[in-house]
Amino acid sequence: MDAREVAKHASASSCWVVIHDNVYDVTDYLGEHPGGQALLLKLAGADATSEYTKVHSTTTVQETLPHSKHLGPLDDSTRQHLRCITKPKPKATTKTASSNMSGPPPLALCVRLADFEPIARAAISRQAYTYISSAADTLQSHHDNLAQWASVSFVPRVLRNVALANMDTSTSMLGQPCALPFFIAATGLAGLTHPEGERALAAAAASRGIHYSPSTYSSIPHKEVAELHRAAQKQSCLPSTLFFQLYVHHDRAKTVQLIRDARAAGYAGLFVTVDTPCVGNRDEDRRLKAEDQLAFGPPPAKTTKVVAGSNSGQLARNMTWDDLPWIRNAWGHDHGRPLALKGIQSAADAKLAADSGLVDAIYLSNHGGRQLHSAPPCLATLLRIRRECPDVLDKCEVFVDGGCLRGGDILKAVCLGAKAVGIGRPLLYALGAYGMAGVVHAIDILKNELETTLALLGVTSPAQLNSSYINVAKLARDIDGLDGIFGNSKL
Ligand code: HEM
Ligand SMILES: Cc1cc2nc3c(=O)[nH]c(=O)nc-3n(C[C@H](O)[C@H](O)[C@H](O)COP(=O)(O)O)c2cc1C
């Protein structure tokens, strides 16, 4: 394909882009692109490869567009005729932790997870910051997530031997040992935040002996994440593994292929996300896309059947409990490959999952408050499970996430029966601010806080914790609005 021809298709009525030396017609896809049409229109008639590879895996384009939209290879001898794109002014460089006034503060000055957010905000693009920070509607679910941890207090024991030599923070998830009771939660498109993206998250997890759950929407191929992780894990010699996070695509064949590829790549478990039949209503994402629409005009009418900004066009909205058996089969559950449901938000669903016998773990999460407005935070769901169907905790492992910023708070979830806590945004901010070094430092901060809290609680390992080490009266009051009626006695 001659570049002069490509350059002619630089508008919403006919939009072609070049990705990895191949020409694609994305006109019909403009209104469907979850990242919005403007990102594609800015690159119309031009080589989109460098922008595309920051965010997407090499295979996304083939997996997403119909075969007919691949117009063929670019004739390289004509490349100089492609439309030139004006690059946005780069932000002040922040890649290294120097004391330079224009860069970020030295990494050592980040002493708690919350310190990373403002530094990342200054370092990363508005688009990346919006993607990470946005949450549903008024952000209430997200704020409730942050607040929940303060609604549980500890009941420490004293005069116990907590000598350093006795301390052991290790635990396991789905039979896979790990050094600490927390893991890196699934977050899509990490490459948007930092060029090291998923590579940094995988290497950081391996270097510190924690697990990582790469997203279906990884910026790099899942196989590459697994290979990088394996190499880093060999070096660290610490236990660490990958749990593949699955978004079920409306095209079952695509989902089966995705699962089989993850299995072949060596992922140790499958986290099936069940809280996303469509993408939540995120105001800031919509504002960004609305601004882009003002600049570029609305997408062509024929492409607006799927709401721009929502990847519901790809997700299986019709998924039910009846889909679990074929997902299990594709994953090879009968051959001992474990599976968890991510996004359980009620005791009723926790019980259904546990009683089904189809899953090994439930993962209580409201998706970082990004899906349902006014969704319950994970500790509230966990408390409800303990009161309404405590047998769930005997049948399944329980993982939780949402708003956790402190090592000590992780242990509150463990006291309530959780095996491990997922950390999402804070590690992305650490990544955006300092790359892999930031993620490793953030993990170390959590580890130190966690070790200190264990000692102050009078125990030497998370395994010794149980509900006698916490007071949930306030959390129970928050849930019931009934002062004290459901105190610890109802645990
Ligand atoms: C033909 C080219 C492209 C295709 C087929 C495509 C496809 C997709 C798909 C399927 C998603 C959903 C998540 C995923 O599967 O990874 C997505 C999300 C996204 N894409 Fe693209 N994309 C293309 C080009 C680009 C480019 C060039 C950029 C940036 C410069 C971009 C930025 C984004 C962003 C920011 C999201 C996340 C949206 C959100 O969830 O808020 N995409 N894209
Ligand atoms: C930027 C971002 C992207 C996310 N992408 C995914 C995803 O691809 N799949 C998924 O199951 N959950 C995703 N989540 C939800 C996280 O897995 C996790 O549930 C949540 O971030 C935990 O809350 P926290 O960010 O407050 O720690 C995402 C969260 C964020 C912040």
Side-chain angles (χ1 to χ4, degrees):
M1 171 84 52
D2 191 307
R4 278 168 285 230
E5 184 59 28
V6 178
K8 285 184 203 159
H9 299 266
S11 71
S13 54
S14 185
C15 178
W16 293 5
V17 291
V18 175
I19 296 171
H20 294 305
D21 302 325
N22 283 284
V23 183
Y24 295 93
D25 179 354
V26 293
T27 318
D28 290 348
Y29 186 63
L30 288 174
E32 286 184 40
H33 180 227
Q37 59 153 350
L39 293 175
L40 297 173
L41 281 173
K42 278 178 201 162
L43 303 165
D47 192 339
T49 310
S50 69
E51 294 304 300
Y52 168 89
T53 47
K54 279 184 204 162
V55 183
H56 290 306
S57 154
T58 37
T59 51
T60 302
V61 62
Q62 292 97 324
E63 284 163 6
T64 309
L65 299 179
H67 193 60
S68 59
K69 301 296 174 186
H70 179 203
L71 305 180
L74 177 75
D75 175 352
D76 202 44
S77 65
T78 63
R79 178 176 288 281
Q80 73 275 18
H81 298 294
L82 282 175
R83 193 173 73 82
C84 270
I85 40 172
T86 349
K87 297 247 180 239
K89 270 197 197 153
K91 279 202 165 199
T93 172
T94 53
K95 297 283 178 276
T96 55
S98 74
S99 54
N100 184 329
M101 291 299 284
S102 63
L107 183 52
L109 291 183
C110 291
V111 298
R112 54 180 180 184
L113 257 56
D115 289 341
F116 290 102
E117 191 263 356
I119 302 170
R121 186 174 196 163
I124 63 182
S125 67
R126 176 173 168 219
Q127 190 190 18
Y129 182 77
T130 304
Y131 177 60
I132 300 172
S133 62
S134 63
D137 292 34
T138 59
L139 310 191
Q140 186 185 323
S141 305
H142 174 49
H143 291 151
D144 287 351
N145 282 354
L146 292 167
Q148 68 176 331
W149 303 96
S151 69
V152 172
S153 55
F154 284 119
V155 181
R157 303 297 306 274
V158 296
L159 295 176
R160 292 173 165 198
N161 181 354
V162 290
L164 275 178
N166 298 339
M167 304 304 285
D168 175 11
T169 55
S170 65
T171 182
S172 68
M173 291 174 66
L174 297 173
Q176 299 290 335
C178 49
L180 292 155
F182 65 89
F183 60 97
I184 305 184
T187 52
L189 310 178
L192 190 62
T193 305
H194 192 279
E196 290 173 13
E198 285 82 5
R199 294 180 183 89
L201 295 172
S207 77
R208 289 301 185 259
I210 65 170
H211 299 315
Y212 169 36
S213 176
S215 163
T216 291
Y217 296 150
S218 171
S219 314
I220 58 170
H222 302 123
K223 193 165 174 256
E224 195 181 328
V225 181
E227 284 164 0
L228 278 160
H229 176 267
R230 209 170 295 123
Q233 203 258 327
K234 263 192 190 149
Q235 275 197 345
S236 78
C237 294
L238 288 171
S240 164
T241 195
L242 300 177
F243 300 121
F244 184 74
Q245 178 273 323
L246 176 75
Y247 277 132
V248 177
H249 198 281
H250 64 78
D251 178 344
R252 185 186 290 198
K254 279 194 175 174
T255 305
V256 168
Q257 194 54 51
L258 195 58
I259 296 173
R260 290 198 177 135
D261 289 348
R263 199 172 81 176
Y267 286 77
L270 189 70
F271 288 176
V272 185
T273 296
V274 291
D275 60 14
T276 311
C278 61
V279 173
N281 178 39
R282 300 173 195 163
D283 289 356
E284 289 313 308
D285 282 347
R286 285 163 54 227
R287 192 187 313 284
L288 199 60
K289 278 161 199 159
E291 286 177 17
D292 278 344
Q293 278 213 9
L294 274 179
F296 286 91
K302 62 181 172 175
T303 74
T304 51
K305 59 185 186 301
V306 177
V307 184
S310 144
N311 56 8
S312 54
Q314 306 181 74
L315 299 169
R317 291 179 80 114
N318 58 353
M319 188 180 165
T320 71
W321 293 92
D322 293 339
D323 288 296
L324 293 181
W326 67 259
I327 294 172
R328 259 169 57 106
N329 280 345
W331 176 239
H333 187 269
D334 291 345
H335 301 285
R337 294 173 188 280
L339 180 147
L341 296 186
K342 176 175 188 282
I344 296 289
Q345 295 167 78
S346 67
D349 280 342
K351 187 159 174 52
L352 270 178
D355 289 350
S356 74
L358 295 172
V359 304
D360 305 280
I362 51 169
Y363 183 161
L364 312 180
S365 167
N366 61 23
H367 215 109
R370 295 159 77 80
Q371 288 296 98
L372 178 69
H373 167 59
S374 297
C378 63
L379 290 185
T381 309
L382 187 47
L383 188 59
R384 282 185 194 283
I385 292 171
R386 293 189 65 119
R387 289 184 345 196
E388 294 170 27
C389 45
D391 55 316
V392 164
L393 294 163
D394 301 325
K395 292 178 182 160
C396 296
E397 286 190 5
V398 176
F399 313 133
V400 302
D401 74 20
C404 189
L405 288 165
R406 289 285 180 179
D409 286 339
I410 290 169
L411 297 176
K412 293 177 181 172
V414 173
C415 289
L416 269 169
K419 205 69 173 144
V421 178
I423 313 289
R425 286 186 192 82
L427 297 179
L428 285 183
Y429 290 135
L431 173 70
Y434 298 97
M436 178 182 160
V439 183
V440 171
H441 188 65
I443 295 171
D444 288 345
I445 290 173
L446 284 178
K447 177 179 190 285
N448 289 336
E449 290 175 350
L450 200 140
E451 283 172 347
T452 305
T453 309
L454 280 177
L456 295 176
L457 282 172
V459 298
T460 55
S461 96
Q464 291 162 10
L465 292 172
N466 55 48
S467 58
S468 73
Y469 287 89
I470 46 165
N471 182 334
V472 295
K474 183 172 182 310
L475 175 63
R477 273 202 306 278
D478 289 350
I479 292 176
D480 301 312
L482 292 172
D483 196 340
I485 287 194
F486 296 106
N488 276 348
S489 62
K490 280 281 182 181
L491 274 176

